């Protein structure tokens, strides 16, 4: 481990957690530039900093390019190689922008640090209580980083010890991929090991944000549900890409039991602080420390604030308008009574943003949505703060139409507006002037609504619909939608709807559509659509809404899992490539 990394750990420990590494007497022991790997395990503060860094390296979803833009949820307007992904042009040599997410090298670096921890921790001068708690955290982290790899690649090499640069380089360069089954079992076992050592809750404020017993159990729930899904169980081409033996029913049972175990802890609940369903949904992602949160990444405005609002806010507010919802996703929002929205319905087509699922209003900024006060140059035109993504008939009856302030022809900024006619509302803090300040919204890795939907899905696929309905309807009614009494395929469709819209933009859709197999082929193929809004500044003049094509997209059989990076196969000829890429 390099000296610079040790310095990084110290900084992390000081900024994110109140540990012994911050004490003056500790820092005065030796100049920071002189710490070596062997020093880490001799001091409790340095060990704590080492563990803290495993949290820091966890990638949140608040990146400039969101994973949603590689699905049917959004399009990234600046491209940044995202079009290569959605058009099915990834290859072992180049997976496009997905390299920011799949992160083969980065995840294995953190796995190596987890392995090093387990090799060294018993030599450190730490009390047994603290040591066991740390072991629980690192078991979780090793499970987390492997789960991130397996989600994208299927079976990967299972490495559980460190390798010296000189003595073991040949051995590490000959490691084969483990089967998908072995990887899932390893991750599940790591979650079990973590849950046995971790507390249900932490008592001290300094431990806020650390993983808990519930987080480990909830991660196991996710991993086992994915493993029980059709893609990994039906017509599997290789044991590296799914199960080739055993019972899918047994795997669904294990997934259901894992979710139920989290529910039985009795410490989590769906958050509903107000009488407004839309407001409740917004506040899940803005309020702190509520009981729906299971595992989060915290942000501090001064130190590690998020730029999510700047990256995605409308250009009419001097923001970058990056990951914009597409009409394919917007169309899918049900009406508030649970019925389907359709552009073929003349009344709905005249007023497409009226009477929709309340989560729509907390997730999407659309033409005519009331947002927040504009900056000075925009307030002169729009003193209220209404999203303008249309082209409007002028008030004075002139011949030239007026482009909205949030279009690509805006008079405020005309280069970074939406292609789709929409902007992202979810996660956004309307009290933040994102042009100048960062936000402090949590990035939620795991929340209780996901666990309930995990339980409901496993129950439905097992044919145990009576068990599924209370969990599914708890999520649905919290959102202001009517409870369902559907059965059979109709109930499966409701479950898929809830995962799609309850968990929208939280990095689930990329995997859900793939593991359900036909959903990826159905929804990731064809054109991405936007909306053209032709309106008027004259009262009572009608608006016209017209879906338009904004990008061609393609999804092929090879796209369910990512190819193993060609650079890794060149280093290690024992790494077997995915079947479709051979």
């Amino acid at each position: 481990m390099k000296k610079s990394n040790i310095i990084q750990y110290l900084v992390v420990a000081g900024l994110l957690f109140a540990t012994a590494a911050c004490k003056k007497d500790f820092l005065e022991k030796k100049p920071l530039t002189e710490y070596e790997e062997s020093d880490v395990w001799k001091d409790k503060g340095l060990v704590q900093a080492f563990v803290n860094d495993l949290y820091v390296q966890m990638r949140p979803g608040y990146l400039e390019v969101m994973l949603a833009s590689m699905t049917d949820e959004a399009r990234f307007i600046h491209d940044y190689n995202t079009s290569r992904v959605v058009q099915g042009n990834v290859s072992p040599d180049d997976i496009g922008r997905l390299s920011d997410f799949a992160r083969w090298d980065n995840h294995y670096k953190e796995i190596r640090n987890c392995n090093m921890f387990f090799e060294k921790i018993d030599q450190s001068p730490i009390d047994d209580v603290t040591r066991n708690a740390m072991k629980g955290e690192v078991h979780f982290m090793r499970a987390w980083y492997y789960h991130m790899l397996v989600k994208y690649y299927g079976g990967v090499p299972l490495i559980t010890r460190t390798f010296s640069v000189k003595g073991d380089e040949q051995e590490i360069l000959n490691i084969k991929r483990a089967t998908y089954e072995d990887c899932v079992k390893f991750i599940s076992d790591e979650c079990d090991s973590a849950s046995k050592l971790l507390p249900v809750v932490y008592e001290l404020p300094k431990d806020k944000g650390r993983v808990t017993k519930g987080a480990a159990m909830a991660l196991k729930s996710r991993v086992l549900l994915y493993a029980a899904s059709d893609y990994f169980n039906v017509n599997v081409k290789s044991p590296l890409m799914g199960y080739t033996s055993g019972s899918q029913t047994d795997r669904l049972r294990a997934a259901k039991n894992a979710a139920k175990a989290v529910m039985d802890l009795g410490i989590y609940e769906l958050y509903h602080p107000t009488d407004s369903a839309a407001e409740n949904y917004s506040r899940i992602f803005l309020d702190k420390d509520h009981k729906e949160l299971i595992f989060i990444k915290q942000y501090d405005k001064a130190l590690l604030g998020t730029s999510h609002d700047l990256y995605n806010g409308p250009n009419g507010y001097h923001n970058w308008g990056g990951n914009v919802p597409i009409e394919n996703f917007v169309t899918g929002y049900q009406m508030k009574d649970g019925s389907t929205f359709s552009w073929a319905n003349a009344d709905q087509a005249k007023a497409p943003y009226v009477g929709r699922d309340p989560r729509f209003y907390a997730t999407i900024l659309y033409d005519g949505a009331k947002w927040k006060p504009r900056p000075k140059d925009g307030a002169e035109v729009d003193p209220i703060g209404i999203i303008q993504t249309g082209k409007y008939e002028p008030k004075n009856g002139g011949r030239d139409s007026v482009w909205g302030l949030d279009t690509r022809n805006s008079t405020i900024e005309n280069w970074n507006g939406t292609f789709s006619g929409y902007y992202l509302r979810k996660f956004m803090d309307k009290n933040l002037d994102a042009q100048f300040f960062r936000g402090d919204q949590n990035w939620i890795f795991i929340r209780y609504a996901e666990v309930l939907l995990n339980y409901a899905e496993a129950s439905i696929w097992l044919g145990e619909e009576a068990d599924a309905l209370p969990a599914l309807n708890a999520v649905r009614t919290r959102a202001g939608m009517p409870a369902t009494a559907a059965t059979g395929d109709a109930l499966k469709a409701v479950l898929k709807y809830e995962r799609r819209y309850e968990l929208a933009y939280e990095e689930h859709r990329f995997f859900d559509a793939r593991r359900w197999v036909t959903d990826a082929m159905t929804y990731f193929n064809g054109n991405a659509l936007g909306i053209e809004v032709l309106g008027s500044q004259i009262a009572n003049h009608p608006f016209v809404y017209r879906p338009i094509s904004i990008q061609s997209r393609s999804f092929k059989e090879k796209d369910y899992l990512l190819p193993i990076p060609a650079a890794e196969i060149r280093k290690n000829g024992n790494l077997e490539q995915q079947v479709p890429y051979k």
Side-chain angles (χ1 to χ4, degrees):
M1 184 177 298
K2 296 180 180 178
K3 294 177 183 177
S4 59
N5 285 342
I6 300 302
I7 296 171
Q8 178 188 14
Y9 296 144
L10 286 170
V11 173
V12 168
L15 295 182
L16 297 184
F17 299 100
T19 70
C22 301
K23 295 180 180 179
K24 183 178 178 181
D25 60 342
F26 168 74
L27 291 176
E28 289 179 347
K29 289 181 180 178
K30 185 184 291 189
L32 294 180
T33 54
E34 294 183 12
Y35 283 101
E36 299 285 357
E37 177 181 305
S38 58
D39 290 318
V40 173
W41 311 104
K42 298 175 182 177
D43 189 283
K44 179 179 178 179
L46 283 173
V47 175
Q48 184 66 75
F50 186 93
V51 173
N52 289 352
D53 194 69
L54 294 171
Y55 288 87
V56 174
Q57 300 308 317
M58 296 179 73
R59 177 194 58 76
Y62 293 143
L63 302 179
E64 183 180 358
V65 181
M66 298 177 72
L67 187 60
S69 288
M70 271 71 82
T71 74
D72 60 342
E73 294 177 320
R75 177 185 174 182
F76 185 69
I77 70 167
H78 310 297
D79 197 74
Y80 288 9
N81 231 352
T82 55
S83 59
R84 176 173 295 173
V85 176
V86 297
Q87 291 167 358
N89 293 323
V90 301
S91 72
D93 287 299
D94 187 354
I95 59 173
R97 202 67 188 191
L98 284 174
S99 60
D100 288 349
F101 300 90
R103 306 178 93 187
W104 182 284
D105 283 346
N106 299 71
H107 292 326
Y108 271 114
K109 286 177 183 176
E110 298 314 312
I111 288 167
R112 181 185 186 276
N113 285 342
C114 292
N115 295 340
M116 182 187 298
F117 170 90
F118 286 118
E119 292 171 0
K120 303 290 187 180
I121 187 60
D122 288 335
Q123 306 168 17
S124 62
I126 297 177
D127 63 272
D128 289 342
V129 172
T130 302
R131 180 183 290 109
N132 285 336
M134 286 182 174
K135 285 182 177 180
E137 290 179 271
V138 179
H139 276 300
F140 175 91
M141 290 297 171
R142 191 158 62 175
W144 180 268
Y145 286 112
Y146 268 118
H147 123 276
M148 291 298 293
L149 287 164
V150 170
K151 284 198 301 185
Y152 288 99
Y153 298 106
V156 296
L158 285 177
I159 302 173
T160 58
R161 68 180 183 87
T162 57
F163 292 82
S164 66
V165 175
K166 293 182 179 180
D168 301 325
E169 68 272 14
Q170 195 58 46
E171 183 178 352
I172 195 171
L173 291 178
N174 287 306
I175 292 178
K176 295 181 179 181
R177 293 172 64 186
T179 65
Y180 179 80
E181 179 176 6
D182 285 346
C183 288
V184 170
K185 184 180 186 305
F186 178 82
I187 296 168
S188 176
D189 289 346
E190 284 291 277
C191 290
D192 287 342
S193 295
S195 66
K196 291 174 183 177
L197 295 169
L198 289 168
V200 175
V201 295
Y202 288 96
E203 296 181 359
L204 300 177
K206 75 180 182 63
D207 294 317
K208 179 181 174 182
R210 294 194 182 280
V211 293
T212 60
K213 180 185 188 73
M217 295 167 66
L219 177 60
K220 177 179 177 178
S221 162
R222 177 190 294 177
V223 170
L224 293 184
L225 180 69
Y226 281 26
S229 303
D230 282 354
Y231 179 77
F232 300 105
N233 288 272
V234 180
N235 299 321
V236 175
K237 296 178 175 61
S238 164
L240 301 175
M241 301 169 69
Y243 292 92
T244 54
S245 63
S247 166
Q248 184 178 11
T249 298
D250 289 346
R251 289 188 271 276
L252 286 165
R253 177 72 55 205
K256 179 178 179 178
N257 290 342
K260 186 63 163 58
V262 182
M263 297 161 63
D264 287 345
L265 288 174
I267 60 173
Y268 302 113
E269 61 186 40
L270 296 177
Y271 189 52
H272 39 79
T274 76
D275 293 330
S276 165
E279 179 69 12
N280 288 340
Y281 190 71
S282 289
R283 287 179 58 177
I284 293 169
F285 311 100
L286 299 175
D287 291 357
K288 314 293 183 185
D289 302 328
H290 55 80
K291 292 184 178 180
E292 187 163 344
L293 304 177
I294 297 179
F295 184 49
I296 62 172
K297 188 178 184 76
Q298 301 176 106
Y299 284 91
D300 182 282
K301 289 181 179 180
L303 300 175
L304 293 172
T306 168
S307 297
H308 173 79
D309 299 72
L310 175 65
Y311 290 156
N312 297 292
N315 61 321
Y317 289 81
H318 294 292
N319 300 152
W320 299 0
N323 301 275
V324 295
I326 60 177
E327 182 60 48
N328 314 57
F329 178 76
V330 172
T331 294
Y333 275 101
Q334 294 176 350
M335 305 302 292
K336 193 176 187 302
D337 63 3
S339 61
T340 301
F341 171 85
S342 173
W343 285 105
N345 182 313
D347 291 335
Q348 292 178 353
K350 289 178 183 177
Y353 310 132
V354 176
R356 306 291 286 273
D357 181 330
R359 288 170 291 198
F360 167 78
Y361 305 101
T363 305
I364 308 295
L365 288 174
Y366 54 92
D367 184 80
K370 187 176 180 180
W371 184 217
K372 60 183 180 181
R374 292 192 182 266
K376 184 177 180 181
D377 51 353
E380 297 172 359
V381 179
D382 173 26
I384 299 176
I386 304 295
I387 297 299
Q388 301 178 10
T389 59
K391 185 179 181 181
Y392 313 111
E393 175 188 12
K395 289 180 181 179
N396 59 13
R399 298 176 61 183
D400 295 331
S401 295
V402 177
W403 287 95
L405 295 180
D406 305 305
T407 67
R408 297 187 70 82
N409 294 289
S410 172
T411 55
I412 295 179
E413 288 188 8
N414 62 2
W415 60 275
N416 59 354
T418 177
F419 286 109
S420 71
Y422 300 108
Y423 289 96
L424 191 60
R425 165 70 178 88
K426 188 169 178 175
F427 316 117
M428 306 282 272
D429 182 356
K430 64 182 180 182
N431 298 312
L432 181 72
D433 186 348
Q435 183 183 2
F436 301 109
F437 301 101
R438 289 189 170 201
D440 64 351
Q441 304 95 311
N442 296 323
W443 173 257
I444 302 176
F445 288 117
I446 309 174
R447 60 186 176 98
Y448 190 51
E450 179 197 345
V451 174
L452 292 176
L453 293 174
N454 291 350
Y455 178 80
E457 181 177 341
S459 297
I460 293 168
W461 265 252
L462 282 167
E464 299 167 0
E465 296 178 351
D467 289 345
L469 287 174
L472 179 59
N473 283 328
V475 176
R476 192 163 169 80
T477 56
R478 189 271 298 270
M481 296 295 286
T484 184
T487 60
D489 288 343
L491 184 56
K492 286 185 176 182
V494 176
L495 181 284
K496 289 182 177 183
Y497 175 87
E498 285 304 311
R499 285 195 70 95
R500 187 180 185 189
Y501 290 99
E502 174 66 27
L503 305 178
Y505 302 99
E506 297 177 48
E507 298 198 346
H508 292 276
R509 181 63 175 170
F510 184 93
F511 306 102
D512 283 350
R514 283 169 163 79
R515 64 187 180 84
W516 292 327
V517 184
T518 56
D519 292 68
M521 283 293 179
T522 300
Y523 294 105
F524 293 175
N525 269 309
N527 292 330
L529 303 177
I531 193 73
E532 182 180 59
V533 180
L534 302 175
S536 179
Q537 295 181 333
I538 302 174
N540 299 320
H541 279 220
F543 276 53
V544 175
Y545 303 89
R546 184 164 57 209
I548 58 173
S549 176
I550 61 172
Q551 187 183 49
S552 63
R553 294 189 169 187
S554 176
F555 186 88
K556 305 179 182 70
E557 181 70 23
K558 68 180 180 61
D559 297 323
Y560 282 100
L561 291 174
L562 294 185
I564 305 302
E568 298 301 323
I569 291 179
R570 284 192 287 269
K571 288 187 290 186
N572 177 3
N574 283 333
L575 285 181
E576 187 176 337
Q577 186 55 274
Q578 314 285 28
V579 170
Y581 287 91
K582 287 185 177 179

